[in-house]
Amino acid sequence: MTDDLSALISETEAALAASTDLRTWDAVRVAVMGKNGSLTNKLKELGKVAPEERRTRGAALNVVKDAITAAIEARRAALDAAALDARLAAERMDVTLPPRPVVNGLIHPISRTMEEMAAIFGAMGFAIAEGPDVEDDWRNFGALNIPAHHSAREDMDTFYVPALEAGGRRRVMRTHTSPVQVRTMIAQEPPIRVIVPGRTYRADHDATHSPMFHQVEGLAIDRGLTLGHLKGCLIDFLRIFFGISNLPVRFRSSYFPFTEPSMEVDIGWNRKTGELGGGGDWLEILGSGMVHPKVLANCGIDAREWQGFAFGMGIERVTMLKHGIPDLRPFYESDIRWLRHYGFNPLAAAMLHEGV
Ligand code: PHE
């Protein structure tokens, strides 16, 4: 082999060895084997070689070409392998490391209470009913036996919705969930058993009142329902909800326009410690009563055939009592520290106390 060819091989091998990535490797390949490459030019010049030398020169060039092709491919393979090794090293992970804690979203205490109520009353055969937050005056008041100018309207600090007054019946932000009693009785044939969790609105704002809050309504309509059914239902609910099997429950005569008789319900607690149970003090917790015959009539139900009981309670209030939450306002502030403290793990099984 002539000197120029040996030199070409050794130069190419040196250049390949010096190439450290695909870009420099390709530059070497093009410089030697490309259209204007050093080896390509030597092959082109073969025609000019004297005929008697052409065979040996041609054979030598072929040997050189094979050697250089092999060297280029070998370098390419080596660079690819090195790149893969580097990538594997860079992407290596330690599967023995403990997992990072996953921050799950938590269930808001209001949602949690609603879920628990749905579970407890659901087990007693109550379905969930819903209605709109913007109600007409008739369903919020009139059908519930609260006439115009009745003091209950002022008690409830109603938000009226002026834009909607013009076109007919006056609208209000519902001041309680009781209008859904009316909707349900009009839409469904008795027997009826529903609870209605939802938002309610009153123009009131301080440490214990929010202009928007939540209630759950209960309504049962059937033949032969009595105060005994109402009492049994609420005593069972309260004992299961608060998880205190002997929670004292007291029914105190009261007044609501839409129930007769009406009763407020108190549970036992200790005023000094705030602890629920047999502490000797009483805490008002909900309103209830037998559905007023006028309300049944307003909703097209014959009061001689059907009787019913109803109740309503504040969801924030029972939630605060159950979990010892002292202030109402943070319920609506979306403060992540409060939510982490009082929120519930969504993956934890829904609480079902014995008896449900
Ligand atoms: N709607 C009443 C309130 O908001 C509660 C209630 C509901 C009372 C059903 C009796 C029956 O105070």
Side-chain angles (χ1 to χ4, degrees), residues 145 150 152 252-260 262-264 292:
N145 198 32
H150 191 283
R252 191 165 31 76
S253 177
S254 182
Y255 172 77
F256 299 101
F258 34 91
T259 47
E260 181 58 38
S262 300
M263 286 176 304
E264 276 173 323
H292 198 294

Side-chain angles (χ1 to χ4, degrees), residues 236-349:
D236 278 356
F237 165 73
L238 291 167
R239 290 184 175 165
I240 294 166
F241 177 76
F242 288 110
I244 302 171
S245 59
N246 58 354
L247 180 71
V249 180
R250 179 173 79 172
F251 290 79
R252 191 165 31 76
S253 177
S254 182
Y255 172 77
F256 299 101
F258 34 91
T259 47
E260 181 58 38
S262 300
M263 286 176 304
E264 276 173 323
V265 182
D266 303 334
I267 56 174
W269 76 319
N270 183 326
R271 193 181 296 279
K272 284 198 202 85
T273 63
E275 214 180 316
L276 300 179
D281 300 313
W282 292 104
L283 185 66
E284 184 203 320
I285 195 115
L286 61 87
S288 68
M290 301 306 290
V291 179
H292 198 294
K294 279 193 191 164
V295 175
L296 292 173
N298 288 340
C299 301
I301 291 181
D302 183 349
R304 286 165 304 183
E305 184 177 359
W306 302 99
Q307 294 73 46
F309 65 80
F311 56 86
M313 77 189 106
I315 290 185
E316 283 81 349
R317 182 162 164 76
V318 295
T319 304
M320 289 166 77
L321 285 170
K322 177 167 175 170
H323 302 294
I325 303 175
D327 190 352
L328 176 70
R329 286 165 290 199
F331 273 91
Y332 319 105
E333 283 169 0
S334 299
D335 181 332
I336 198 72
R337 293 162 302 178
W338 189 89
L339 292 170
R340 287 222 177 98
H341 185 75
Y342 288 113
F344 292 90
N345 183 349
L347 298 179

